[in-house]
Amino acid sequence: MTSIVISGSGLYTPPFAVSNDELVKAFNSWVDLYNDENASAIDAGQLPARQYSSSEFIEKASGIRSRYLVSREGVLDPEIMQPLIPERADDKPSVMVEMAVAAAEQALQEAGREPGEIDLVIVAASNMPRPYPALSIELQHYLGARGAAFDMNVACSSATFAIKTAADMLSAATARLALVVNPEICSGHLNFRDRDSHFIFGDACTAVLLEREETCRNPQPWRLVDARLQTQYSNNIRNNFGFLNRCSPDTRYSPDKLFVQQGRKVFKEVLPLVSEQIAEQLIAAGWDTESLQRLWLHQANLTMNQFIARKVLGHEARSEEAPIILDRYANTSSAGSIIAFHLHNQDLPVGSRGVLCSFGAGYSIGSLLLERVEHLS
Ligand SMILES: CC(C)(COP(=O)(O)OP(=O)(O)OC[C@H]1O[C@@H](n2cnc3c(N)ncnc32)[C@H](O)[C@@H]1OP(=O)(O)O)[C@@H](O)C(=O)NCCC(=O)NCCS
């Protein structure tokens, strides 16, 4: 069987960090404005008063302390409560493509490759700025890549599903060098006026390069030993934004056109699915848990990751066994597990084994078994 490797990875981190305290201060100022403006309806019992958010709750419930944003001023202004990202002219690179180019260049450098050698580009993310032309084709153009490009959306599992898709296309010799990029501007779909979720997301972009092991120039790439994908329909994470919104003017701007979730239900329903999928995959591959050095898990909630790591490893995970990046980055959707991989794989020697796993809306779960190999070109 053809062996496919990850020969490089890259990460773009936006320049603006926003702490929980800053976010909560803006949210609570907005609550005061809202409650003042609606005082008579609230007093008459026609509207519930809005409640304050708290940094203590956010860190305890999620593990998030801070996040990076592409744009922060509007987010911290109680009169605006959303990022301000001006539209660009069609003949200029879009914001998401700029992020993608930066992440892709790092991945190319690690893989020892030139942009012109790429012949497959997949942009996989939870949100795209437009239906067409595909963002991936714009990226292909600005990078100077060849071949074909297309976009994919499997929400938080976009990266793992795209890696499996690229690996299959490389195995079938449809392509020779594949770039998978995950530009996530999650702040653009986040309702900063929603107490239950205003703290959840951050922005980032990741990239990985995949190729056949025999063409690889990175002396110590990560072999993709197995990839398993699973989906199960659920409305517990949903966003009704779409091209038909304008055809229903009365509901066009209602809150369901942004991210909405039943966090508790997600927590309870997704955890067993993820743990079982990884356990079955390890058995099928003949990998025992003692041979695993690392779990690069989706980064949505600290307790969730600790639970999954405990289930998979059979003991309380040490921080180096299941690295956490959500404390600094928050949930960056499909980029999260790849950020964990990018920042925490170089220390592992040849022969190390790890699981990279995403989970989220759909529901969707993607898990990859990776083994570091020596490649003598
Ligand atoms: C979102 C999440 C952090 C919320 O944590 P939680 O412990 O489930 O919190 P709950 O929503 O049950 O709320 C608990 C209490 O905190 C309160 N609360 C909610 N938001 C708050 C805030 N910002 N500040 C202060 N209190 C808050 C609630 O009102 C509730 O109060 P009550 O017990 O008096 O009713 C957590 O459910 C989660 O991360 N789930 C998984 C989500 C996930 O993986 N999603 C994938 C997305 S891609």
Side-chain angles (χ1 to χ4, degrees):
M1 210 185 80
T2 318
S3 176
I4 305 299
V5 293
I6 294 178
S7 53
S9 64
L11 166 65
Y12 169 80
T13 301
F16 307 111
V18 172
S19 68
N20 288 346
D21 285 348
E22 289 176 292
L23 205 61
V24 165
K25 188 172 166 225
F27 181 88
N28 291 348
S29 302
W30 171 78
V31 166
D32 288 339
L33 285 176
Y34 176 93
N35 288 344
D36 283 352
E37 273 167 23
N38 295 286
S40 47
I42 292 169
D43 290 345
Q46 293 155 345
L47 269 183
R50 301 282 180 161
Q51 314 225 317
Y52 284 154
S53 180
S54 98
S55 297
E56 294 72 34
F57 168 83
I58 294 171
E59 188 167 346
K60 190 160 170 281
S62 69
I64 297 165
R65 294 185 184 150
S66 183
R67 71 280 298 138
Y68 294 98
L69 300 182
V70 165
S71 158
R72 62 173 253 150
E73 272 68 33
V75 167
L76 298 179
D77 184 338
E79 303 275 1
I80 299 175
M81 301 294 276
Q82 64 183 58
L84 296 175
I85 306 170
E87 266 188 21
R88 293 186 179 177
D90 291 353
D91 62 352
K92 297 277 182 296
S94 61
V95 177
M96 285 172 73
V97 154
E98 265 180 10
M99 300 165 79
V101 167
E105 281 172 348
Q106 278 184 27
L108 281 161
Q109 193 176 9
E110 190 190 348
R113 294 291 195 167
E114 295 299 323
E117 295 178 282
I118 296 169
D119 57 359
L120 172 64
V121 179
I122 306 179
V123 170
S126 287
N127 292 284
M128 293 294 168
R130 57 172 187 260
Y132 44 83
L135 202 68
S136 52
I137 303 178
E138 187 191 341
L139 176 60
Q140 179 191 32
H141 168 76
Y142 282 107
L143 260 184
R146 298 179 296 113
F150 59 89
D151 294 350
M152 283 176 60
N153 178 354
V154 199
C156 290
S157 287
S158 296
T160 49
F161 277 56
I163 286 172
K164 169 67 173 149
T165 305
D168 288 349
M169 290 178 73
L170 291 163
S171 294
T174 310
R176 293 178 62 80
L177 183 64
L179 173 68
V180 172
V181 188
N182 322 104
E184 295 283 12
I185 305 187
C186 300
S187 58
H189 83 158
L190 182 53
N191 184 351
F192 285 95
R193 296 187 179 92
D194 176 34
R195 180 173 177 254
D196 289 346
S197 65
H198 75 109
F199 54 88
I200 285 182
F201 287 108
D203 305 334
C205 178
T206 49
V208 295
L209 273 169
L210 294 124
E211 56 191 299
R212 287 172 171 234
E213 196 167 328
E214 69 255 25
T215 69
C216 177
R217 295 182 194 157
N218 180 340
Q220 297 187 346
W222 286 90
R223 182 186 289 154
L224 179 60
V225 175
D226 188 55
R228 212 170 258 222
L229 312 178
Q230 184 188 169
T231 49
Q232 252 186 50
Y233 188 58
S234 167
N235 279 324
N236 288 331
I237 313 171
R238 193 166 175 116
N239 181 344
N240 286 329
F241 175 78
F243 80 105
L244 291 178
N245 293 159
R246 61 187 284 275
C247 307
S248 178
D250 292 347
T251 56
R252 191 173 175 183
Y253 297 113
S254 51
D256 67 316
K257 307 304 180 295
L258 294 167
F259 169 88
V260 180
Q261 77 165 355
Q262 306 294 325
R264 272 287 151 105
K265 286 189 183 163
V266 174
F267 203 105
K268 280 198 189 130
E269 291 174 8
V270 169
L271 280 180
L273 293 176
V274 174
S275 317
E276 279 159 29
Q277 174 163 319
I278 297 175
E280 284 171 14
Q281 192 177 15
L282 291 174
I283 290 169
W287 282 19
D288 52 34
T289 48
E290 290 75 48
S291 74
L292 283 180
Q293 272 73 43
R294 196 145 295 168
L295 303 177
W296 300 283
L297 297 176
H298 179 51
Q299 303 281 321
N301 182 290
L302 177 61
T303 314
M304 217 164 169
N305 284 21
Q306 288 168 338
F307 181 95
I308 293 167
R310 191 164 55 243
K311 278 273 181 197
V312 171
L313 299 172
H315 61 261
E316 211 65 51
R318 296 187 303 278
S319 59
E320 65 272 21
E321 286 180 304
I324 292 296
I325 58 96
L326 64 85
D327 54 344
R328 281 189 298 142
Y329 280 85
N331 182 345
T332 52
S333 194
S334 69
S337 55
I338 310 291
I339 299 176
F341 172 78
H342 176 76
L343 295 177
H344 298 279
N345 80 79
Q346 293 296 345
D347 59 310
L348 294 174
V350 167
S352 300
R353 289 174 167 179
V355 179
L356 189 152
C357 181
S358 67
F359 42 87
Y363 297 130
S364 56
I365 301 161
S367 50
L368 315 177
L369 303 189
L370 299 175
E371 182 164 21
R372 193 156 213 189
V373 290
E374 185 98 66
H375 177 72
L376 306 169
S377 49

